Amino acid sequence: MATDYLITIGLVVGLFSIPAMLAAYADNRMPRTAMGAFVLSAAVIAMVIILHPARYSVADLPNVVIRVIATIID
């Protein structure tokens, strides 16, 4: 279950870093923080895939995220 949390955190941080990178490029700034968050997100997702290679597929990711959110709310 801990890997479910890690992959959800990685996906959320990666998702939020993309608009931040686009905003930095639009303002002619270097996206240092957003790029760091994106790299950290990719590292966490890679770590989860290395820990449990057969557990997660792309089709299972929405179910994993919903399960983590339901666990947090419950």
Side-chain angles (χ1 to χ4, degrees), residues 3-74:
T3 55
D4 290 350
Y5 286 110
L6 286 175
I7 201 160
T8 302
I9 290 169
L11 288 172
V12 169
V13 170
L15 203 83
F16 284 139
S17 68
I18 293 171
M21 283 189 283
L22 292 175
Y25 283 126
D27 291 339
N28 269 342
R29 295 181 287 123
M30 285 294 294
R32 290 184 185 107
T33 306
M35 192 62 71
F38 188 77
V39 169
L40 180 67
S41 167
V44 168
I45 292 171
M47 181 182 72
V48 168
I49 291 172
I50 289 171
L51 288 175
H52 293 283
R55 185 168 180 181
Y56 300 107
S57 67
V58 176
D60 292 336
L61 290 180
N63 293 333
V64 170
V65 172
I66 296 293
R67 191 174 359 161
V68 168
I69 291 171
T71 304
I72 290 172
I73 290 174
D74 189 30

